[in-house]
Amino acid sequence: SQLQLHIKIQDDGDGFDTTKQNVSEGIGIQQIVARIKMMKGRFSIDSDINKGTKVTIQVPCIPITNGAAKMQT
């Protein structure tokens, strides 16, 4: 099975309606998505009004000889 870096950022704030806002329009989000796609990873934003927002990133990693892992590019 392939090693993966998993990042989850979650809050319990106001949240927002993802069907009414295009969250990918911001330049910062576009850059994040572009880099994650370049690394063959996945990115998602889930949000519910009055329940908060969750951002999830998964990026495949490849092992290197000293036992550590690095992100795949």
Side-chain angles (χ1 to χ4, degrees):
S1 129
Q2 185 173 13
L3 295 173
Q4 294 210 2
L5 171 66
H6 294 263
I7 300 171
K8 184 193 302 184
I9 303 165
Q10 186 170 347
D11 71 22
D12 59 356
D14 294 336
F16 57 92
D17 185 347
T18 57
T19 64
K20 292 185 178 179
Q21 291 182 331
N22 187 352
V23 295
S24 64
E25 286 183 5
I27 292 173
I29 296 293
Q30 289 175 357
Q31 292 298 315
I32 292 169
V33 170
R35 282 170 174 73
I36 292 170
K37 283 183 179 181
M38 179 182 70
M39 294 183 282
K40 299 177 179 74
R42 292 185 286 172
F43 175 84
S44 68
I45 297 178
D46 297 313
S47 187
D48 291 311
I49 296 174
N50 297 321
K51 293 185 180 177
T53 302
K54 178 171 66 173
V55 176
T56 305
I57 299 169
Q58 290 180 276
V59 180
C61 298
I62 54 174
I64 56 177
T65 57
N66 68 0
K70 67 177 185 175
M71 291 185 292
Q72 183 174 335
T73 55

